[in-house]
Each structure stands twice: as C-alpha cells, then as structure tokens.
Amino acid sequence: AVGVVFIGSIIYSMFTSPLQLTEAPSIADRDSISKRESGVTEKSPMRLRMEALIKEKQSEIVAALQELDPANKFRTDTWSRPAGGGGTSCVQQDGNVFEKAGVNTSIVYGTLPRPAIEKMRVNHKAIDPDVDSLEFFAAGLSLVLHPQNPNAPTVHLNYRYFETMDNDGKCNAWWFGGGTDLTPTYLYDEDAIHFHKSIKDACDKHDRGYYPRFKQWCDKYFYIPHRQESRGIGGIFFDDLDGQEKDQEQLFSFVKDCLSSFLPGYLPIVTRRKDMPFGEREKQWQQLRRGRYVEFNLVNDRGTSFGLNTPSARVESILMSLPLTARWMYMHEAEKGSREERILGVLKQPVEWV
Amino acid sequence: AVGVVFIGSIIYSMFTSPLQLTEAPSIADRDSISKRESGVTEKSPMRLRMEALIKEKQSEIVAALQELDPANKFRTDTWSRPAGGGGTSCVQQDGNVFEKAGVNTSIVYGTLPRPAIEKMRVNHKAIDPDVDSLEFFAAGLSLVLHPQNPNAPTVHLNYRYFETMDNDGKCNAWWFGGGTDLTPTYLYDEDAIHFHKSIKDACDKHDRGYYPRFKQWCDKYFYIPHRQESRGIGGIFFDDLDGQEKDQEQLFSFVKDCLSSFLPGYLPIVTRRKDMPFGEREKQWQQLRRGRYVEFNLVNDRGTSFGLNTPSARVESILMSLPLTARWMYMHEAEKGSREERILGVLKQPVEWV
C-alpha cells in the first residue's frame, strides 16, 4: 500500500487515466544503502535530502500539535512499499483541540510508462523523449487539521519533490510543488492576515514575485465551481518549479522555509481560538462548511481523485483529509448581516490580506 | 436552473466533457399548448405521458411519506426552465422519521450538439447520423430517503425517459432507464428479502429475465472501487431500454409498475424500524455508513458528476441526495462477530435475496 495524497497533485496533470506504478528496486536499494552507510548530508542527492527534510518536519509538527493536547496521543502508522519507499501517517481523532488531525509523509520509487513521460515533457524539457520507461522518485509531506472549535480554522499543507532518473539513479528532470491554505468557519481578519503574512515573509526571502503569484494560483486551485466559491481564504499553491525557475538549491531552501513557517503561521491562531465559547449555531455552521470541504476534496481535488484511482493506494491515508463530521442542509441560507454571510462573501471574492 | 440528477445518468455516458444544454422553445411550447387544450391521454406522445406519470407518482410518494411524520411538512420548490421544462423538489429535513428525504422531478427540453449525437448513436441506431444538432427531451423522478433510526435503511429510486425529436417534435429515438436500491446501516434479512421481492414481482410481470439482469447491473453500478465494497445491498438498475428490448408501450408499463412497487416495497420496512431503540454505537455506525454514501455519490456516481459539471444546474437538487450528517473515522474497524461486521461482509459480496 502507498500513501499517495501528495503524489496525486504531482502526477495527476500528466495522466488522464489511472496509472499502474511499477517498481524500481535497484535505485531504492542503493539509496537505502547509501543512507545507512553515509547518512544524508548537503552532498547527498536531492531526493534523499527532501526525504530527510519532510521526515524531520513531520516529527516537529506532530510534536508541537501533541503539546496542544497531551492527553490525546497521535496514532502513528508506518508502511513500506515492497519496491522501495513507504510512508508514515500520524493521526489524532476526536481530541480536545482537533476533531481530526493528520500529518502524512510518503516516499515512492516507481517507473513511468511512455504516455506519462510524453505528458511530463510538456513542462519539463529535461526529460529524455526517446525512452520507453523512466524511473521516478516522489516525496511529500501533507497535513490537514480540523479543529473542534468553530472559531478555529482548518488548515492544509502539502510540499513535495519529484524527479526522474536514469537507470543508475542519476537525476534527470526534477521539480518542487506544494502550498498551504486556511479554511475558517468564521472569519477573523487578524488570523487571515497573520497566516498570509507568515507565508509572504517566507516567500519574500526568496523572490518578491512568489507570494502574489502563488497566492493567485492557490485561489484558482481551491475554487469549487459547482458552488461558485472558494474552499477557504487561500494561502499559496505552486507546482512544477524546476531549473527554469531557480536552481535546485534555491528552490529546496524555499520549500524548507515554507515548511518552517507553518507552525509560527498556524499555532498562534489555533491557540487563541481553541477555547473560545460557542453554541449550537456555530457548531452547525462549522458542520455545513465541513460539508463543502468534503465536496472540494472528493469532487474537485485532483490529488484525491488521482489517489483514489491508483491501484493499491492507501485509501485511509488519502481520506485522512476528510473531517470527522460533516453536514448537508437543503437550501441553507446565511442570515443577512450575519457572521456566516460575511465569510461567504470572502469565499465568493478572494481578498488581498497582506 | 435545472434539476439534472436523473439526466446525469442518462446523458453522462455520452459526453466526456460538460455540455452546454441549449434551448428548444418551439417543441416545449407546442407540448405546453397541447397539454392545456387536450390534457394527457393514452394517445399523447410518450414524453407527455411520462411527465404526467412521474408527477403523479411524486405526489403519491410525498403524500405517503408525509403521513409517516405529519408534523414535519415537506418543503416544495418548483422551478421552470426558460426554454421549457422545469422541476419540483420536495424535501423534508431533520424530521421524526427522516433525517433527509428528497423527492424530485425534472423535465428538460434541449438541443444536443454533434459530438453528443455521435456518442448516442452507439446505443441507439434510430438517431439520424447526418444532423448537426438534435432536439431532445428528458423526464425523471428521483428520490433519496435517509431515515433517522440506524435500524431503518436508506433508499434511492430513479426512473427516467429520454427521447430525441425532429424539429416538428416527432419522436426519433427514445429509451427508459432507472432503478431502485437499498442501503441499510444494519442488516435485517427480512427487509432485504421484502425489498428485493417487491422489485422482482414488478419485473417478473414483464419479463422473467429482467430481475436477474437488472439486479446484477445494480450491483455493478453501485460498487465503490476505492473501498472495494458496494454502497448498499442493491435492487435493480437499467439504462438504454429501447425498441430493441420491447416496444415503447411495454417498457412504459414496466417503468410504471416499478414506480408503483416502491411504496409497498419500502414503507413496511421503514414503518417497522423507525421506532426501534438504538444507542450511541448504532448512531455512530450509521454516520460512518453515511460517509460512504457521500463518497459514492461525490466520487463514483456518474449522474452526480455530470450534474455538477452542467452549467446552470440546480446544485441544491443534485446534492439533495446527500445525507444531513456524515462521519469519517481514520482506520475504523468493525468488531469481530458484530452486526457491523456482518453488513460489511454483504457489501463485499452481493447476496441473491430472492
């Protein structure tokens, strides 16, 4: 079984039909020996550095979340793919702070068939067009946190790295993708501003053009056409960032800073909202918004669709992103002038928060 | 706005991308005048007879359901399409018997573009291959009932008629589709047998081959690949039944009998289950099964996908099929030897109930 949440977003655009991932034992085995013998340093191939980074960040994030609610231990499931790679899912359910919190890493070694290679070449000219199959590697960290308190926003994050390799494991084409976005039930401007500012700061250290560009990309990606509204108030989203954008070292450093900005960007928000008083009305509105979250993830999210269509995918890791509870009411309408109406307005028309 | 739940299932297989339904005012107007002047009789065109039938059955079903819970009135919304056709949604929410009950009719007059015509011809040779566009008519009744009590099963029904017409309104190709299926949270064999028997009796009056054939079709259609289980314990499902199957009069009479068998097939079940005692455990298991219902409808149901991808569709009518509440737990496992495990077994391996 494979956790493919993040891989979906990477590979999906390159395939129109489900893909049977085939196995590439040799490179995975060699990487495994190299890690055991020499560890992972700045001289290691990027795939090993990215793997080490996401595992480190997963531990760091899970530890910080665990501290918010020490009584409800995260459950950790680790699995490995027979041909190399594997993953770890850390999940907390029905706790004091989070209704559901999932933090997931996945590593995949596999072989791309010819049609997939042809589609990838559209965005990545470094890929050799004259081969029948190509080894690939993918690594990603993906998390979704659904708080219990309707005043605290849901948050999603996903960063990943993809590369193709020749038979000796030498990197051929490579790129980074990812992002993070916030989905409040009720809007607190200070939370929205803080969240966006922390991402913008991480972006600005690398390129002043990143935040505006990736913020817009995020607003576009998380739009629910059938509801004519966004899933949340956005953040950043990007994909296919390769050598045409910046060199590999710079992009790795950018992704690292994005990952590091997550806890300072989100923890203060959930900390100040998690114990606010609320009533039946607020809980019900949260449940309705959770329903929209489910709609986006099951109907619109390319990563989820791809994952669910991948044979032998680890479904529990993919659907870890769904809330514990959700609600659908027929013809529900927000009251004029209410807080419910206010957040709907923002979901219809994205705001520039910083 | 158009209620397209049922149309989805009809048209979906013929389109790979969303279709802009264009308008055909003239035939709709003429039909409207004919209904006003002469009423609908056995001599009327089939489209008018089917429209009259589903409206009659909608009233009958809503009245019977209303009697189960007189205190919670059904809400009725009627809408019309500017170019002809329209629909009525009757919905009861958070009542004493049903958490959500929706009974919907839709009538659509429109024009099929060339690519749609070409795909339809695969199943319906009566369609003229040498035209650039073709008038069509679709009419359907669709219902989903989600009871409050976990001992009472969810039920779904959908019957529809489709035809293409020349510019004078003369029917060219036509076919019927539909079915009904049961989704219990807990399995009561007597309920499963009663439900299937009442459908089988309706089928057997017309063709002894129908029930086995359409039962199998139903098991296949309501399968959730990513869960490797069925949505429920089935019933019947069929599509594209045209003159190659039986003559129009016989098929209309078959659909009529299917519709008439619904109340006697379902009412006794919900009546004997709706007041049974249950606890937190049963409610939670119901919520988890509702989650699977949402997954099927949003991920796998071709009708829903098509509906949500149709511009100007009436989303509230399409998503009326979703339960009021649902739940997703990470790695939930049914206890060995429990009633929860028993129903799961049946969902993994369809049973011949009669």
Side-chain angles (χ1 to χ4, degrees):
Chain A
V2 193
V4 286
V5 182
F6 71 92
I7 304 178
S9 328
I10 306 176
I11 314 187
Y12 182 82
S13 55
M14 297 134 201
F15 302 92
T16 48
S17 63
L19 152 81
Q20 180 69 56
L21 300 176
T22 51
E23 315 294 350
S26 58
I27 301 175
D29 286 349
R30 268 175 287 168
D31 278 358
S32 191
I33 294 166
S34 142
K35 279 185 279 184
R36 206 164 49 232
E37 289 179 348
S38 333
V40 177
T41 69
E42 282 180 18
K43 300 263 191 290
S44 302
M46 182 53 74
R47 58 181 182 270
L48 300 188
R49 294 171 69 195
M50 185 66 178
E51 178 180 342
L53 174 68
I54 61 175
K55 286 181 172 170
E56 179 197 322
K57 290 297 169 189
Q58 181 182 37
S59 301
E60 202 175 299
I61 291 168
V62 169
L65 298 175
Q66 187 66 81
E67 247 180 67
L68 280 180
D69 185 7
N72 292 288
K73 294 297 169 205
F74 269 85
R75 165 180 176 162
T76 299
D77 291 304
T78 298
W79 66 93
S80 56
R81 287 170 53 79
T88 302
S89 286
C90 302
V91 179
Q92 197 191 50
Q93 204 161 256
D94 211 7
N96 293 312
V97 178
F98 296 107
E99 191 192 70
K100 199 144 155 211
V103 188
N104 194 48
T105 51
S106 299
I107 309 294
V108 177
Y109 288 83
T111 308
L112 294 168
R114 176 107 198 170
I117 298 169
E118 279 164 15
K119 284 187 188 162
M120 273 187 190
R121 274 210 86 234
V122 175
N123 285 316
H124 304 283
K125 297 299 173 203
I127 293 174
D128 186 344
D130 291 327
V131 289
D132 277 331
S133 73
L134 199 54
E135 304 302 291
F136 78 89
F137 168 90
L141 168 64
S142 153
L143 78 81
V144 182
L145 312 177
H146 294 288
Q148 294 276 13
N149 195 307
N151 296 291
T154 288
V155 70
H156 161 251
L157 167 149
N158 171 291
Y159 290 99
R160 67 250 175 180
Y161 170 76
F162 193 93
E163 71 173 47
T164 60
M165 302 158 291
D166 64 22
N167 292 331
D168 299 324
K170 203 172 141 291
C171 173
N172 182 329
W174 57 267
W175 60 94
F176 291 91
T180 181
D181 62 286
L182 201 70
T183 305
T185 295
Y186 288 103
L187 189 62
Y188 291 95
D189 288 29
E190 57 171 325
D191 295 354
I193 292 165
H194 175 78
F195 184 78
H196 276 269
K197 192 170 179 314
S198 74
I199 307 168
K200 183 173 184 296
D201 289 347
C203 289
D204 283 356
K205 279 169 63 182
H206 298 270
D207 190 319
R208 303 282 294 182
Y210 277 177
Y211 175 76
R213 193 171 134 211
F214 300 156
K215 195 259 185 198
Q216 201 177 10
W217 200 339
C218 184
D219 286 336
K220 200 175 159 200
Y221 184 84
F222 291 100
Y223 185 71
I224 310 177
H226 66 267
R227 295 291 191 178
Q228 297 178 277
E229 64 184 38
S230 292
R231 184 176 78 171
I233 60 160
I236 55 166
F237 181 90
F238 56 86
D239 207 354
D240 293 316
L241 296 197
D242 61 13
Q244 301 209 293
E245 179 75 41
K246 288 258 193 316
D247 73 32
Q248 201 183 40
E249 206 57 50
Q250 287 173 312
L251 288 171
F252 179 64
S253 159
F254 168 56
V255 165
K256 203 159 146 182
D257 282 341
C258 285
L259 277 163
S260 299
S261 75
F262 174 72
L263 285 172
Y266 182 70
L267 273 188
I269 298 173
V270 70
T271 302
R272 68 179 167 243
R273 302 298 165 210
K274 71 185 173 58
D275 301 313
M276 284 178 74
F278 63 88
E280 204 36 60
R281 171 182 175 151
E282 287 75 25
K283 195 65 193 175
Q284 182 162 308
W285 178 244
Q286 180 199 54
Q287 295 297 294
L288 289 173
R289 300 314 306 168
R290 295 259 152 102
R292 298 296 167 93
Y293 209 89
V294 171
E295 285 178 35
F296 177 84
N297 287 19
L298 296 184
V299 177
N300 305 109
D301 186 45
R302 296 193 296 265
T304 304
S305 311
F306 178 82
L308 295 182
N309 281 312
T310 300
S312 85
R314 189 171 192 268
V315 173
E316 288 294 332
S317 293
I318 298 168
L319 296 183
M320 189 184 80
S321 66
L322 299 180
L324 186 63
T325 56
R327 188 175 179 89
W328 282 269
M329 283 172 79
Y330 177 68
M331 299 290 274
H332 184 272
E333 276 177 43
E335 217 176 275
K336 281 260 174 298
S338 66
R339 294 169 72 205
E340 290 82 8
E341 195 190 40
R342 173 140 196 263
I343 178 84
L344 282 184
V346 169
L347 299 177
K348 296 268 176 211
Q349 188 55 58
V351 168
E352 297 305 320
W353 294 103
V354 286
Chain B
V2 193
V4 285
V5 182
F6 72 92
I7 303 179
S9 328
I10 306 175
I11 313 187
Y12 182 82
S13 54
M14 297 136 202
F15 301 93
T16 48
S17 63
L19 151 81
Q20 179 69 57
L21 301 176
T22 51
E23 315 294 348
S26 57
I27 301 174
D29 286 349
R30 269 175 287 169
D31 278 358
S32 191
I33 293 166
S34 143
K35 280 185 280 184
R36 205 164 51 232
E37 289 180 348
S38 333
V40 177
T41 69
E42 282 180 18
K43 299 264 191 292
S44 300
M46 183 53 74
R47 58 180 183 270
L48 300 188
R49 294 171 68 193
M50 185 66 178
E51 178 181 342
L53 174 68
I54 62 174
K55 286 180 173 171
E56 179 197 322
K57 290 297 169 189
Q58 181 182 37
S59 301
E60 203 176 297
I61 291 168
V62 169
L65 299 174
Q66 187 66 81
E67 248 180 66
L68 280 180
D69 184 8
N72 292 288
K73 293 298 169 207
F74 270 84
R75 166 181 176 161
T76 299
D77 290 304
T78 298
W79 66 94
S80 56
R81 288 169 52 80
T88 301
S89 287
C90 301
V91 179
Q92 197 191 50
Q93 204 161 255
D94 211 7
N96 293 312
V97 178
F98 295 108
E99 191 192 70
K100 198 145 156 212
V103 188
N104 195 48
T105 52
S106 299
I107 309 294
V108 178
Y109 288 85
T111 307
L112 293 168
R114 175 107 198 170
I117 297 169
E118 280 164 15
K119 285 187 186 163
M120 274 188 190
R121 274 211 85 233
V122 176
N123 285 316
H124 305 282
K125 297 299 174 203
I127 293 174
D128 186 344
D130 291 327
V131 289
D132 278 331
S133 72
L134 199 55
E135 302 302 291
F136 78 89
F137 167 90
L141 168 64
S142 151
L143 78 79
V144 181
L145 313 177
H146 294 287
Q148 294 277 13
N149 194 308
N151 296 292
T154 288
V155 70
H156 162 251
L157 167 148
N158 172 291
Y159 290 100
R160 67 248 177 184
Y161 170 76
F162 193 93
E163 70 173 47
T164 61
M165 303 158 289
D166 64 22
N167 292 330
D168 299 325
K170 204 174 141 287
C171 174
N172 183 327
W174 57 267
W175 60 95
F176 291 91
T180 182
D181 62 285
L182 202 70
T183 305
T185 294
Y186 288 102
L187 189 62
Y188 290 95
D189 288 30
E190 58 171 324
D191 294 355
I193 292 165
H194 175 80
F195 184 78
H196 276 270
K197 192 170 178 317
S198 74
I199 307 168
K200 183 173 183 297
D201 288 348
C203 289
D204 284 355
K205 279 169 64 181
H206 299 270
D207 190 318
R208 303 282 294 183
Y210 278 177
Y211 175 76
R213 194 170 134 210
F214 300 156
K215 195 260 185 196
Q216 201 179 10
W217 200 339
C218 184
D219 287 335
K220 201 175 159 200
Y221 184 84
F222 291 102
Y223 184 71
I224 310 177
H226 67 267
R227 294 292 190 178
Q228 296 178 277
E229 64 183 37
S230 292
R231 185 176 77 171
I233 60 160
I236 55 165
F237 182 90
F238 57 86
D239 208 353
D240 293 316
L241 297 196
D242 61 13
Q244 301 210 293
E245 180 74 41
K246 288 258 189 318
D247 74 31
Q248 202 183 41
E249 206 57 51
Q250 286 172 312
L251 288 171
F252 179 63
S253 159
F254 168 56
V255 164
K256 204 159 145 183
D257 282 341
C258 286
L259 277 163
S260 299
S261 75
F262 173 73
L263 286 172
Y266 182 70
L267 273 189
I269 297 173
V270 70
T271 303
R272 67 179 168 243
R273 303 296 165 211
K274 71 186 173 59
D275 301 314
M276 282 178 74
F278 63 89
E280 205 35 61
R281 171 181 175 152
E282 287 75 26
K283 196 65 193 173
Q284 181 161 308
W285 177 245
Q286 180 199 54
Q287 296 296 294
L288 288 173
R289 299 314 306 170
R290 296 259 152 102
R292 299 295 167 94
Y293 208 89
V294 171
E295 285 178 36
F296 177 85
N297 287 20
L298 296 184
V299 177
N300 305 109
D301 186 45
R302 296 194 296 265
T304 305
S305 311
F306 177 83
L308 294 181
N309 281 312
T310 301
S312 84
R314 190 171 191 266
V315 173
E316 288 293 332
S317 293
I318 297 168
L319 296 183
M320 189 185 79
S321 65
L322 299 181
L324 186 62
T325 56
R327 186 174 180 90
W328 283 268
M329 283 172 79
Y330 176 68
M331 299 289 274
H332 184 273
E333 276 177 44
E335 217 176 274
K336 281 262 173 297
S338 66
R339 293 170 72 205
E340 290 82 7
E341 196 190 40
R342 171 140 198 264
I343 178 84
L344 282 184
V346 169
L347 298 177
K348 295 269 176 209
Q349 187 56 56
V351 168
E352 297 305 321
W353 294 103
V354 287

